[in-house]
């Protein structure tokens, strides 16, 4: 099971670069990320090489952060792979809160990141269906 860091940050010029600069200085690698914004604030979700250290560094710089369990599912890079996964989730009556894409650095394969309500149950469901869950 993977963990992500959610960073709540003011939506202004230079904020995202400031976050990445702080992580770079501490030698923390960003393995995947997605940014969602609103008028004043945004949420930056990241999978990083050291979740706890990331939270300490960013909170010390005034950012509001939290860690969340997520599921990573490695998939073939071919037409219909995501649809197949989503059909299995639908068949299991599982709602997906959000998704984003990153890549397995070792294999080069796409990894879809999922957040759902009962992450442990969903992880077991996907493993039972033969998916490569990280």
């Amino acid at each position: 099971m993977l963990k992500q860091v959610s960073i709540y940050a003011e939506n202004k010029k230079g904020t995202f670069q400031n976050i990445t600069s702080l992580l770079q200085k501490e030698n923390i690698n960003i393995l995947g990320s997605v940014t969602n914004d609103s008028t004043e604030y945004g949420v930056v979700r990241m999978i990083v090489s050291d979740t706890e250290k990331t939270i300490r560094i960013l909170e010390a710089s005034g950012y509001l952060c939290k860690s969340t369990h997520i599921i990573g599912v490695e998939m073939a890079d071919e037409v219909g792979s995501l649809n197949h996964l989503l059909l299995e989730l639908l068949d299991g009556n599982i709602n997906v809160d959000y998704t984003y894409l990153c890549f397995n650095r070792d294999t080069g394969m796409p990894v879809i990141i999922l957040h759902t309500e009962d992450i442990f149950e969903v992880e077991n469901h996907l493993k039972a269906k033969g998916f490569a869950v990280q």
Side-chain angles (χ1 to χ4, degrees), residues 1-129:
M1 175 143 327
L2 297 172
K3 276 185 141 180
Q4 79 178 2
V5 177
S6 296
I7 306 148
Y8 303 90
E10 193 173 2
N11 189 4
K12 67 178 187 177
K13 187 188 329 181
T15 299
F16 193 38
Q17 186 280 323
N18 186 56
I19 291 168
T20 61
S21 177
L22 290 166
L23 299 182
Q24 178 186 357
K25 288 176 188 171
E26 294 295 327
N27 202 33
I28 296 171
N29 194 15
I30 300 168
L31 305 171
S33 72
V34 65
T35 304
N36 302 96
D37 72 334
S38 65
T39 305
E40 294 182 24
Y41 288 90
V43 179
V44 179
R45 292 183 172 103
M46 292 182 171
I47 302 168
V48 293
S49 57
D50 189 330
T51 303
E52 293 3 315
K53 185 176 180 183
T54 297
I55 290 172
R56 280 194 315 273
I57 298 305
L58 294 177
E59 285 182 343
S61 294
Y63 293 100
L64 176 62
C65 304
K66 74 173 189 172
S67 67
T68 308
H69 286 284
I70 52 171
I71 299 172
V73 182
E74 187 171 298
M75 302 171 29
D77 187 9
E78 58 190 39
V79 173
S81 291
L82 178 58
N83 188 58
H84 175 67
L85 171 63
L86 294 175
L87 280 172
E88 287 293 347
L89 292 169
L90 183 61
D91 287 346
N93 198 32
I94 297 165
N95 183 51
V96 177
D97 298 324
Y98 58 83
T99 67
Y100 57 98
L101 184 67
C102 65
F103 290 88
N104 181 322
R105 299 285 201 272
D106 296 327
T107 66
M109 298 289 290
V111 176
I112 190 80
I113 303 300
L114 305 170
H115 184 269
T116 63
E117 190 170 306
D118 189 343
I119 209 87
F120 298 103
E121 183 180 313
V122 174
E123 180 182 47
N124 291 332
H125 173 81
L126 290 173
K127 284 180 179 178
K129 296 290 184 175

